[in-house]
Amino acid sequence: MEHIRLPKVDNVRLLDRISPRRSRVGTLYLTATHTIFVENEAGVRNETWVLHSLVCSLEKQAATASGCSLLIHCKNFQVLNFVIPRERECHDVHLSLQRLSQPERPDELYCFSYKPNIDAEERRQEWDFLDLRADYRRMGLPNSLWKLSSVNQHYKVSDTYPADLFVPESATPPVIVGSSKFRSRGRFPTLSYYSKENHATICRSSQPLSGFSARCLEDEQMLEAILRSNPRSDFMYVVDTRPKLNAIANRAAGKGYENEDNYSNIKFQFIGIENIHVMRNSQQKMMEVCELRSPSMSDFLEGLETSGWLKHIKAVLDAGIFIAKAVAEEGVSVLVHCSDGWDRTAQVCSVACVLLDPHYRTLRGLMVLIEKDWISFGHKFSHRCNHLQGDPKEVSPVIDQFLECVWQLMEQFPCAFEFNARFLITIHSHIYSCQYGNFIGNNQRERTELGLRGKTHSLWSYLWMNRADYINPLYRPDHSQTQGLLRPSTAPYCFKFWRALYNRFDRGMHPRQSVEDYLSAIQEETQQLEEQLASHKQKIAQLEQKQEWSVPQKAVPFDKSPTGWTFCNDLANTPQDYTGGFFTSSPCQPRAPITFQNEESNKTSESILSNGSDQESGIADVSCRSPLSEDSTRDPDSDEAAYSAS
Amino acid sequence: MEFAELIKTPRVDGVVLHRPFMPTVEGTLCLTGHHLILSSRQDNTEELWLLHSNIDSIEKRFVGSLGTIIVKCKDLRVIQLDIPGMEECLNIANSIEALSTLDILSLMYPFFYRPMFEVIEDGWKSFLPLDAFKDLETMTDEWRLSEVNKDFSVCPSYPPLVAVPKDIDDDTLRKVASFRHGGRFPVLSYYHKKNGMVMMRSGQPLTGTNGRRCKEDEKLINATLRPGKRGYIIDTRTINVAQQAKARGGGIESEANYPQWRRIHKAVERSNVLQESLIKLVEACNDQSHSMDRWLSKLEASNWQTHVKEILTTACLAAQCIDREGASVLVHGTEGADSTLQVTSLAQIILDPACRTIRGFQSLVEREWLQAGHPFQQRCAQSAYSNSKPRQEAPVFLLFLDCVWQILRQFPCSFEFSESFLVLVFEHSYASQFGTFLGNSTAERAKLSLPEKTVSLWSWVNRPQELERLTNPLYEANSLVIWPSVAPQSLLLWEGVFLRWNRSSKCLDEAYEEMVHIIEYNKELQNKVNSLRRQLAQLETEDPLLQTP
């Protein structure tokens, strides 16, 4: 509370990003956890909630006659532009939000103050919902080839690795420890995925400290052990996911990559995925394009190309495909690393898992996969997502890229995934929101020290309880797309811009009718029909047997359109500004409220959004407007120049 | 002329056919006057039946005595024929080239085609102007059907019957025709039942450099305005292009002479620019490179998506003037037969739910494209692969279909037809066994006696088995105006046309089938439940125990 300099400001305007003329006036409240904008329109209570932890950047612009503008960029790609009447107030709000959105200590994080009505026992169950050991058991581990090693108990060998790790049966503690000393941050080669069918594995590590010529017998033995754990194969791949030049540069710092001459029977391969800094800049550039007010097609496509974002997504997917094919088609084990083995390595291993194993394409499977390859293996969520005030150079959208790879696959294989895109977007949002304890800290050791299991809640059980919202209606466990290895095309035109994530809050850009929601409603109705059918059959059987206790019951009649399904037709009836601000007297269409981002929000916001505007407003009287001159058919101060420009 | 003269080698054995996503087939290649046929002479094997008129260009290659002909089609498919024997290959190639570029209309396949199906309803008679006018009469009596153009002398590209304001007589129309490009005087395109506003279309006014004026023209379009109301003129050209047109006798409606009208200029590209755009887009889609940068920059440089955005934006603007501003609209560009029609027809898709049905869409294509005189013969003579210099070719109609697809993607439940219907119409507009898209105007079609001598595409489409295939299973009639988004993020590449032969659609087709299955299973259950409910009700009334509570 001490950070809130000003809890309430009246007469604040919230500008519409696409057409600033459509602004809303209301009161801005700052609470300990949220910024809340309440619109002062009689009759409607329109609220916009923004979680402080989702605030990514704040920009206070110079004061003008109409007030002082504060631009808020959020980590879930929401952009809010407030105009606050007095500069002093804007200054106070700015400073307060700056502090509130950048907690300095972990205990200031939202997850520690988020208290849903759940008792201690339920909380324990929440955290027990996912069990990584169960996933390894599902893979068939431990077995005669791979064992659970206790070498990293208390995080003594590698403080960024989990305590439980699978290593080859033949790998002795001295070999493991020796190998770990030859690897960055002690991250020795260990198992990420095991294929029951052919014993091929995906292993992961950090780069070797090879410099220009250093060798390590134990590391060589470790790779040998991994190779021998795949009895049917006489070689293994070592995949360095970095561009070759970066890897070579690392040699000067005493790091580097495996020399094929020193390791027996390895095939070494570079896959050029760029580093976290390139990815951060790339996303930033793409977001600048997404936020252009009314870009032309060329602005957009050029910007998308220049950002390089889709190129990077393609690189990650290409790498995943290489590994998945090695495992599934060649039956060859793969060791994957980058520099530290917690960014690109996590991406590539998890993408390969999604391609390889249908289980990871289910709701529960994707959660387990994120828990395994990202959370347990020490992807530095705290740093990469900027949860705490820290080094901006550590921030990078590495997990965003993984989620997007999954989305790109869903676009190519619409029946292969049990979950829908909303599931990915919700996970994305909560990775950044700090509402749940799952993504707090940088590794397992930190999370244990923070006591997250006892003090915070788990996202996974929340998602599971609400799974009805995240089911893909086209998924069938017995569908051919659901089986086996996915073989996506990586031709450039197969990669699409993910509008639903990056322009998530620009509702006007999205399809006004959702096929998926329509099908889900139909499936729900089908389920009810099946129940009715069964009960009717039973009653008929009973009546036919003339059993006296049979009780007649009125069936609920179904009309032709599926129940529970309503078209978002009200949304359908809002024209965009096609005119370049030509119809200046058009009343502003009440735009759908932008968001509602708090704990219960995901559902609420969707339902608010779908009944945003009325259908008959917007007919303006043309005659009362002064005509424009012959040649200037554009409103000179139009913000929508692109619509009317030649 | 005998086709035989053009066919030196009518038959070659041992020809190998390569097609996208299909196994290669070896068989006998036959050339007929209208088709390229490959038969493997085995049962159950798919054969190639390709209309010569679908062939856009061919390439020949020789390795030793094995010749290869790459056949590039107007529907953007590329197939390869390996032909043993250099002479045979050359003969075949020469024949294909000659037969595919024949431009004598009366020799086209539709004149030779005999339907193998029963014609339930003659498509040539399905959408007559008289019927459309009867519908109009039920809504308003402010319009009349004029026969001023019955012998095509007033406007060669108009149909014999056009709807004009009731108070405007035929003499006035003749005078107006002389003031509008191509004689295309303003006619009714669409009547908005909700508020009685109208959309008209015409050619540009022939004001020339000295600002010629035509009182009758002013009278005609003012007759469509309610007292004290203003209208909008949507000129599909930029102000600069429109001004330059004055030097060639064209021009714009000046504010002084048309004080009740406000002019809005938009930039919808036409002719050569669009043809080049199509060629570049298709080249980008066929680029084998795996570079993302190259793909995106080629896609951008093709400008195709830019054109889609411009056309849609202009159509939305016209619809907005009518529905939201409550104003009548006149749309024109230069001739009023290309960009004008894109705008007027798309505006109707947005405004009028009837146009989003299968039959309504056919009617729209008939009214706003065929009868409105879009020169299909000229525009669709060549597609993206042609090597010859484009003359009057332009994918104006394909762009319209692309825009419809964009709206369909945004409102997937509001159209009775599915994407495959749009693809079908695209294919037939470039090459067809049906006569629908032959000729450039109603006058030409009448002269060729197309309705008597050829079969209409609609005769084939409007049969239950075809309709079923083209129906959108998600359709639920939506009586509202649908406003699409024109943001670049919302506009997608039409993969069903442009990537159709480049990427396998197997998984997407499976998803479509799954969707159909979900919906059909639901319907089946509904029927079952209803019949059981009836059975139950009957049993209950028969049951004496239950009748006495």
Side-chain angles (χ1 to χ4, degrees), chain A residues 21-22 575 577 579 582-589 618-621 625, chain B residues 320 324-325:
Chain A
R21 232 176 257 104
R22 296 167 171 172
D577 195 346
T579 60
F582 192 77
F583 299 132
T584 42
S585 67
S586 276
C588 299
Q589 291 299 316
I619 297 169
D621 187 358
R625 193 183 320 132
Chain B
Q320 199 174 10
R324 294 291 164 132
E325 301 292 313

Side-chain angles (χ1 to χ4, degrees), chain A residues 582-623:
Chain A
F582 192 77
F583 299 132
T584 42
S585 67
S586 276
C588 299
Q589 291 299 316
R591 298 276 296 187
I594 296 183
T595 184
F596 201 90
Q597 194 60 57
N598 65 354
E599 45 272 31
E600 301 81 22
S601 70
N602 288 309
K603 275 307 279 178
T604 334
S605 60
E606 301 299 317
S607 61
I608 290 176
L609 286 163
S610 62
N611 54 29
S613 59
D614 61 326
Q615 47 172 286
E616 288 306 325
S617 72
I619 297 169
D621 187 358
V622 189
S623 55

Side-chain angles (χ1 to χ4, degrees), chain B residues 7 9-13 15 27-39 41 48-50 52 81 92 96 99:
Chain B
I7 305 172
T9 305
R11 241 190 80 153
V12 190
D13 290 320
V15 173
T28 304
L29 183 75
C30 298
L31 279 186
T32 73
H34 292 109
H35 284 97
L36 184 70
I37 301 164
L38 188 120
S39 162
R41 300 182 175 219
L48 179 74
W49 273 84
L50 187 67
H52 293 314
L81 294 165
I92 296 280
I96 295 177
L99 290 164

Side-chain angles (χ1 to χ4, degrees), chain B residues 105-124:
Chain B
L105 272 182
S106 59
L107 290 180
M108 296 295 231
Y109 184 56
F111 289 99
F112 298 81
Y113 170 74
R114 290 295 160 260
M116 302 289 280
F117 58 88
E118 191 197 349
V119 176
I120 300 169
E121 178 194 340
D122 181 2
W124 286 111

Side-chain angles (χ1 to χ4, degrees), chain A residues 476 525 530 573 578 619, chain B residues 324 481 484 510 514 521-522:
Chain A
R476 253 196 302 126
E525 194 206 57
E530 277 170 342
N573 266 22
Y578 304 112
I619 297 169
Chain B
R324 294 291 164 132
V481 175
E510 284 170 358
E514 196 61 32
Y521 179 57
N522 176 276

